[in-house]
Amino acid sequence: MAISVIIRKIRNRLTTFGNRLYYYPYLHCKGDNLIQERVYIRGFGEFDNRLSVTLDRRAKINHDVILQGSGKIVLGENSFIGSFSVIGANESVVIGKNVMIAQGVSIRDTDHNFDDLHKPMFNQGIKTKPILIKDNVWIGYGAVITKGVTIHSGAIVAANAVVTKDVPKNTIVGGVPAKILKRREE
């Protein structure tokens, strides 16, 4: 084994251990996980609830990922979040087993209210609805997953797609807004 590989493995273990200690109030790890450098876990202080992040066995978070909110984020067994992705949960974002989330993905269970034209949008509150990403899903680079969406098992979300509705089992979706491009059984 090359020295550089050994050094990288040691650095990853140290970074994971440091993140587990630093984010102890928010982060709950089940088994062997990998959390790379510059991962930020931030609760929103103005909300009553407290952010909870749970990583199942062999879950991996690459560098420069932001996990934020006041709700619950669950990353299932053997799943990973690619670099520069953001997950915001004020209610819940639950990600199943063997899910691949590419770089630059945005997953958010919240929208701001904007109906009152006489009041700044910032002061109108938020709407939340949980997101569920089931097992064996691949979410491509730069995709956006919006509140209330369920992505069923075996689905693929194309790069830069904006998912605003549920994605059926074993389908490939893409576009803005995302539409079914193909069924994987065909």
Side-chain angles (χ1 to χ4, degrees):
M1 190 179 298
I3 289 275
S4 61
V5 172
I6 294 169
I7 291 171
R8 187 179 72 237
K9 284 185 177 194
I10 292 170
R11 189 177 80 215
N12 282 340
R13 285 187 184 264
L14 289 172
T15 303
T16 298
F17 180 74
N19 279 316
R20 286 175 81 158
L21 283 178
Y22 187 75
Y23 292 116
Y24 174 75
Y26 302 114
L27 183 61
H28 314 281
C29 296
K30 299 178 181 177
D32 191 24
N33 305 108
L34 175 63
I35 306 167
Q36 291 184 338
E37 60 274 352
R38 296 180 309 278
V39 169
Y40 300 100
I41 301 175
R42 300 181 179 139
F44 290 150
E46 66 262 28
F47 296 100
D48 292 334
N49 297 332
R50 186 178 195 178
L51 178 63
S52 170
V53 177
T54 301
L55 305 181
D56 211 336
R57 296 178 314 139
R58 294 184 309 280
K60 178 180 177 183
I61 302 174
N62 285 351
H63 62 85
D64 298 293
V65 168
I66 298 173
L67 305 174
Q68 63 186 8
S70 61
K72 171 179 81 167
I73 299 172
V74 176
L75 184 60
E77 183 177 334
N78 203 41
S79 294
F80 74 86
I81 302 169
S83 304
F84 306 106
S85 293
V86 178
I87 298 179
N90 288 313
E91 192 167 329
S92 75
V93 174
V94 177
I95 300 164
K97 297 177 185 177
N98 302 306
V99 173
M100 300 182 294
I101 299 173
Q103 295 80 11
V105 171
S106 175
I107 302 172
R108 299 173 187 265
D109 73 352
T110 303
D111 277 337
H112 287 274
N113 294 323
F114 55 86
D115 295 335
D116 187 345
L117 296 177
H118 304 290
K119 195 177 193 183
M121 287 180 271
F122 185 80
N123 295 330
Q124 293 188 42
I126 60 173
K127 294 179 218 166
T128 65
K129 200 167 180 189
I131 294 173
L132 175 60
I133 300 170
K134 295 194 176 180
D135 300 340
N136 191 32
V137 168
W138 175 18
I139 300 176
Y141 177 89
V144 175
I145 313 299
T146 62
K147 73 176 174 38
V149 167
T150 296
I151 301 176
H152 291 274
S153 298
I156 299 171
V157 176
N160 295 310
V162 177
V163 181
T164 60
K165 295 181 180 168
D166 291 355
V167 177
K169 183 177 183 176
N170 294 323
T171 57
I172 301 171
V173 298
V176 179
K179 296 189 182 333
I180 295 175
L181 302 176
K182 182 179 179 183
R183 300 200 186 279
R184 290 183 61 207
E185 294 95 2
E186 296 173 359

